[in-house]
Structures are given as structure tokens and as C-alpha cells.
Amino acid sequence: MAKISIDSKFKKLIQRELVVFDFDDTLVDCNSDTWIHKLAPGGAIPEELEFKPDQDYFKHVQSVLAYLHAQGVTEQQYNECLSNMPSVAGMIEPLINTLASKPDKFDMIILSDANSYFISAYLKAKSLDTAIGTVLTNPARFLEDGLLAIDEYHVQDYCTMSSRNLCKGEALKSYIGKRMLEHNTVYTCINYVGDGENDLCPSTKLSTRDRVFPRAGFTLARLCNRLKLAKSQIYMGQQSQTEKSKVPELKATVVPWTTGEEILETILGESHTLV
């Protein structure tokens, strides 16, 4: 009887797969933060404004936006520039367009350390703002004087794998919980598509039912390979208990990719249900 009760409860839930996209170097084939440098006089920001390894990256971006504002860069110029960012091969067609045609099976969101204006400008230019309705990122707005201002998504000091202004793992967990509580939606499989170091944290939050898609040749792919190696060393007894405790666990299936077609083939190749 217990089995029947549990199954009946699950069947009342909305079951879908979730596809989570990073933005820079995942959806767009560039870094949007540096793409806008071409709006500066001569197409480049001054050397003293270039990012330094010991800098807070979020504050660096704020300083670049302040400089561009001082140079008279307008919202229209930003919009035109961002609309021309190149897309990664296969991301829009066939990947996003195909998944968008199956709204009863897939939800798509963006989880990015860029900002809401950069992402919105791109999505609108590519007519993707309906297909991807949720964007978790640093909020941005134009002030009355024309300055593009960005704020932190949140401020955190608990995740050493993430930047202080955005722990993607925490943001993803919060989103999934909210969907369950407010929309009765449970995700039978989470597909995380990313490329960078800050995509590792959310990747380690996934289960064995889920998939991580690291872009081949980029940082996330190298980090996933390191975790695989560390796991094999643990099984072989080559690491101490202290070393074991420092290694994040990656439970999800890792599927490297170079084009959106490869991601789509994997996602459509296997369906997931709770019962």
C-alpha cells in the first residue's frame, strides 16, 4: 500500500527535465564583460583598467562600466554591441529551439555571473527571451545619468568554489526548491551546461540522475577530469582521509561537448521519470 501511495503522490507532480545554461563561452562564444571593451575609444580599455589576478572581478567590471559611461557610451550603443555577440555553434539551432518546442518536457534557465542587461540584450536580439524565461544573474539597470549599474546577485562567504557575489550551486538549489514549492514541479534530470571554474560548484550539487556538460577544452572540463582522477586515487587508497575530505564529489554523468547538437543528442537520447 505504501508503494501505491508514494507513486500516486509523484504522479500529481509536474515532471520535467531542467536545462541550465551558463552564458559567457557557453551560449555566446565570447566573454560579454570583455566584448563591450570595443565600445571604448580605440576599441580597447586603458591598460590600467585591465583585470589583474588579485582584483575582485565584480568590482573590476563596475570600474569598466564607469569608464565607458565617462566616455559617453549610451544604452543604444550597448544594445547594438551586445546584440552582435556570436553564438556558440548549435546552441540556438537546434538545441534551444528544439527544447523550446517541448515545453511540457523541458524547462530552460540561464545561471550566469554576467548581468541581467547583457543577457537580456542578447536574448531579445536572438528572439530567445520567451524560450528562456528565467535568468539567475547579477541585476543591472541604467541610472538616470546613463550609467549602467550592476549589483551583486547576493553576497556570500561560505563557498570557496564561487565568487563572493554569486554561488551558482546555492542559486540553483534555491531555484529548484522554489519550483517545487510554488509550481509543484520536480526535475527528474538536471542538465548543467557550462565552461568555467564557477560552474564546478553547481556541478557538484547534482545527483547520479543528472548530467554535467562541460565545454571541451575549457576550465570546467579540466576540473571535472581532475575530480575523476582524484576519485580513482581515493578508490585505490592513494589519498589520506584529510585529502579525501577536500575533494568535492561529482556524482552526475559528465558529457563533454563542442557544439549544441551534441548536447541535444544526449538529452533526447534518454528520458527520465520518477516512477
Side-chain angles (χ1 to χ4, degrees):
M1 292 296 293
K3 176 65 164 59
I4 294 174
S5 176
I6 293 173
D7 287 359
S8 176
K9 182 179 180 180
F10 279 149
K11 288 175 182 177
K12 293 179 182 179
L13 298 174
I14 299 170
Q15 298 186 35
R16 290 179 182 158
E17 288 196 31
L18 177 64
V19 183
V20 185
F21 295 100
D22 178 39
F23 186 66
D24 294 323
D25 291 313
T26 296
L27 279 187
V28 293
D29 207 6
C30 65
N31 181 334
S32 58
D33 290 333
T34 57
W35 181 262
I36 61 167
H37 290 185
K38 58 184 63 188
L39 292 172
I45 61 174
E47 185 177 350
E48 60 268 22
L49 278 181
E50 292 287 351
F51 178 68
K52 311 296 189 304
D54 60 341
Q55 277 186 285
D56 180 295
Y57 186 75
F58 186 84
K59 292 181 178 179
H60 158 72
V61 175
Q62 288 180 314
S63 68
V64 172
L65 295 176
Y67 170 77
L68 293 177
H69 173 60
Q71 302 306 309
V73 176
T74 66
E75 181 176 352
Q76 181 178 349
Q77 288 175 297
Y78 272 115
N79 189 64
E80 291 174 354
C81 177
L82 295 164
S83 297
N84 289 321
M85 289 188 293
S87 303
V88 172
M91 276 295 173
I92 297 178
E93 183 62 47
L95 177 55
I96 293 176
N97 287 343
T98 299
L99 297 182
S101 71
K102 305 174 186 294
D104 58 328
K105 294 183 179 180
F106 300 98
D107 284 343
M108 291 183 285
I109 69 171
I110 290 175
L111 176 53
S112 168
D113 198 13
N115 67 74
S116 58
Y117 179 74
F118 286 8
I119 297 173
S120 176
Y122 169 81
L123 293 179
K124 288 178 181 178
K126 305 301 181 184
S127 300
L128 297 176
D129 47 322
T130 301
I132 302 178
T134 297
V135 177
L136 307 177
T137 188
N138 303 299
R141 68 200 185 285
F142 282 93
L143 303 182
E144 290 185 3
D145 64 356
L147 171 67
L148 178 55
I150 56 173
D151 297 315
E152 295 95 339
Y153 180 83
H154 58 204
V155 178
Q156 65 88 25
D157 59 5
Y158 46 81
C159 179
T160 58
M161 290 187 285
S162 304
S163 58
R164 68 170 182 83
N165 61 287
L166 174 59
C167 172
K168 287 189 173 184
E170 183 64 28
L172 180 58
K173 286 173 59 180
S174 177
Y175 172 80
I176 293 170
K178 187 175 182 180
R179 289 289 292 171
M180 177 62 186
L181 289 174
E182 298 181 3
H183 301 278
N184 209 36
T185 298
V186 62
Y187 292 116
T188 57
C189 179
I190 300 168
N191 302 276
Y192 190 93
V193 186
D195 70 281
E197 183 176 0
N198 63 357
D199 294 312
L200 182 62
C201 175
S203 298
T204 62
K205 299 296 188 290
L206 305 182
S207 73
T208 55
R209 297 178 63 87
D210 305 323
R211 310 182 188 99
V212 178
F213 292 89
R215 189 177 183 184
F218 285 70
T219 302
L220 181 59
R222 292 191 288 271
L223 292 174
C224 287
N225 285 334
R226 289 179 190 173
L227 289 186
K228 283 184 179 180
L229 177 60
K231 186 175 182 179
S232 67
Q233 291 175 337
I234 289 173
Y235 283 139
M236 295 174 65
Q238 296 177 359
Q239 289 191 349
S240 67
Q241 289 297 326
T242 301
E243 290 173 326
K244 290 179 185 179
S245 66
K246 295 180 180 180
V247 178
E249 188 173 5
L250 190 59
K251 298 177 182 178
T253 301
V254 178
V255 186
W257 62 277
T258 56
T259 69
E261 287 91 344
E262 297 167 350
I263 299 171
L264 182 63
E265 182 179 351
T266 299
I267 290 177
L268 295 184
E270 182 180 357
S271 62
H272 292 257
T273 56
L274 287 178
V275 292

